[in-house]
Amino acid sequence: MARFELKLPKMGESVAEATITNWLKEVGDKIEADEAVLEIATDKVDSEVPSEVSGILVEQLFGKDDLVQVGQTIAIIQTEGDAPSAKSEETTVPAEVAEIEQTIEAAKDVVTAPQDFSGSDKFFSPLVKNIAKEEGISVAELESLAGSGKDGRVTKEDILKYIEDRKSGSVTPIPAVAAPKVAEPVAQPEPVAKVAPVQKSQQAVPVSVNGGDEIIEMDRMRKLISGYMTASVQTSAHVQSFIEVDVTNIVKWREKVKTAFEKREGEKLTFTPIMMEAVAKALKDFPGMNISVDGDYIIKKKNINLGMAAALPNGNLIVPVIKNADQLNLVGMAKAVNDLGNRAKAGKLKPDDTQGGTYTVTNVGTFGSVFGTPIINQPQVGILALGAIRKVPAVIETPEGDFIGIRQKMFLSHSYDHRVVDGALGGSFVKRVAEYLEAFDIDRDF
């Protein structure tokens, strides 16, 4: 018999802790490998922690509502054989590896770097990491595998199949990047003390409650949202710019191609990915909007990662992120928007899906709003609200003269942080988004 320590896995960039919300298994219960043991909640999404081994749960080290740090042991599972552990991970080699030792020679032609899994945002079981180390499979190769386990986890069968395919030549190994030479430390400027938010001098006005009122406690996510929004207003100097956009060509084009698009791509074509495409282009034109603020320092972001505000079934709000949005064509953008939107509604988002955003877009027009004044998603410096598309009478200019016609129009509402973004940049950015939308080619392919 052996005792396996179930640890809180790394769940994504900048996620350092989680709260236990529910134990799915009790002490004495039998657990299968990859079976969920407990539910956890980060500051963004809820998730499950699966077991890496089969066995019996013999100890719960934390209770419900306890806060746990990434890497902490949260439960002890008793297994039949020798369970993988932190000590044995470096030396224990699974029996299956002996059957595929010949693949090592095929991997020697690939330039590999030391396998440091601590830098990976993905979770890999000790068994999978052992096989990867023995076979010379780089972290980049392992991250590229599409796992068949829960939430896309790479299983033992996945990595063994990959090794066989690599041996047969049906897949090409991804060369690992050699570890960069560490540069000499550069003297950093003395940190500037951050200004604490101004505290309210007066207490909150008490709310009167009568016998017919119902008192409902906020759920965990609503409390978090409340804190984030209040902190954002206290942190950023919010200012807004509004612009009206003629999207008649976009409406006509979508109506013309949406059936063929869904038939070919298996995805519905909404207006959101078209808008996202224009925003990503404008951010490339105005990188000053793709920044973050840290005290008295401005951080220019290399990647354009678009946050997409989405409403959850319970009425709460979440912002999944489309990574490297400027590198996606319209089809890729539509697939990303639909995937994140569907998983948000189903409560299937992973912690990493909500991390790393550099600019946010929210579609207030979904609920009929003409425009809005959205609150900035910290530490970003801008957020764009898409208003409802409406048929309105408009002046149309032609060489023969002006006349009144029916056009499809919408408002773009741009909130930006006046600490670092002035009106010239904030207004020019939203104007560029409008120009891309109005110049939409009605004859383009998708």
Side-chain angles (χ1 to χ4, degrees), residues 4 6-7 9-11 31-38 47-54 77 84 121-129 142-159 350:
F4 174 79
L6 179 63
K7 300 179 183 295
K10 187 173 182 179
M11 296 167 290
I31 300 171
E32 299 295 333
D34 287 331
E35 187 177 6
V37 179
L38 68 158
S47 185
E48 296 178 344
V49 177
S51 173
E52 302 165 29
V53 298
S54 297
I77 299 173
D121 288 337
K122 291 189 175 182
F123 170 77
F124 301 107
S125 69
L127 178 60
V128 169
K129 288 191 283 187
L142 204 54
E143 289 182 328
S144 69
L145 298 184
S148 60
K150 182 175 178 60
D151 294 330
R153 287 179 57 197
V154 176
T155 64
K156 176 185 71 176
E157 290 74 18
D158 295 330
I159 190 170
K350 303 173 186 177

Side-chain angles (χ1 to χ4, degrees), residues 184-255:
E184 292 296 324
V186 179
Q188 298 293 328
E190 289 294 325
V192 180
K194 297 181 180 180
V195 179
V198 178
Q199 301 295 326
K200 294 182 180 180
S201 58
Q202 59 183 21
Q203 295 181 347
V205 179
V207 179
S208 60
V209 180
N210 60 44
D213 296 335
E214 181 182 4
I215 301 175
I216 303 172
E217 183 180 3
M218 293 183 187
D219 60 25
R220 182 188 61 85
M221 182 169 284
R222 178 48 55 185
K223 292 177 183 177
L224 289 170
I225 294 173
S226 175
Y228 290 148
M229 296 299 98
T230 302
S232 181
V233 172
Q234 291 177 341
T235 300
S236 295
H238 282 65
V239 67
Q240 285 82 26
S241 293
F242 306 92
I243 191 167
E244 191 175 27
V245 190
D246 189 331
V247 292
T248 305
N249 285 348
I250 293 176
V251 173
K252 289 181 178 178
W253 179 82
R254 175 182 172 272
E255 187 65 29

Side-chain angles (χ1 to χ4, degrees), residues 267-270 333-343:
E267 300 279 351
K268 290 186 179 297
L269 178 62
T270 64
M333 189 73 77
K335 289 181 180 293
V337 167
N338 292 343
D339 172 58
L340 290 174
N342 291 335
R343 287 198 285 125

Side-chain angles (χ1 to χ4, degrees), residues 296-436:
D296 290 336
Y297 296 93
I298 296 173
I299 302 171
K300 293 184 177 180
K301 295 295 185 177
K302 177 181 178 182
N303 299 328
I304 295 177
N305 300 333
L306 288 183
M308 181 185 75
L312 297 174
N314 60 5
N316 287 328
L317 182 72
I318 198 165
V319 185
V321 177
I322 302 172
K323 307 292 176 60
N324 298 309
D326 58 313
Q327 299 178 19
L328 299 176
N329 60 16
L330 186 57
V331 173
M333 189 73 77
K335 289 181 180 293
V337 167
N338 292 343
D339 172 58
L340 290 174
N342 291 335
R343 287 198 285 125
K345 292 177 183 177
K348 299 295 183 182
L349 288 175
K350 303 173 186 177
D352 196 45
D353 289 328
T354 61
Q355 303 295 322
T358 61
Y359 188 87
T360 298
V361 178
T362 178
N363 190 351
V364 299
T366 301
F367 310 104
S369 297
V370 178
F371 55 80
T373 55
I375 297 175
I376 296 168
N377 188 13
Q378 297 295 326
Q380 300 166 25
V381 299
I383 180 171
L384 185 70
L386 309 174
I389 298 176
R390 304 163 301 133
K391 287 183 179 180
V392 297
V395 175
I396 302 174
E397 298 179 357
T398 69
E400 290 76 25
D402 299 342
F403 65 93
I404 300 295
I406 302 300
R407 305 295 289 178
Q408 301 272 7
K409 290 196 173 188
M410 65 181 294
F411 281 99
L412 302 179
S413 311
H414 187 208
S415 294
Y416 46 96
D417 189 343
H418 212 341
R419 293 179 303 165
V420 291
V421 180
D422 294 325
L425 174 57
S428 297
F429 169 77
V430 70
K431 182 182 178 183
R432 183 62 53 85
V433 176
E435 289 170 349
Y436 279 128

Side-chain angles (χ1 to χ4, degrees), residues 113-124:
Q115 292 150 300
D116 180 11
F117 291 96
S118 63
S120 175
D121 288 337
K122 291 189 175 182
F123 170 77
F124 301 107

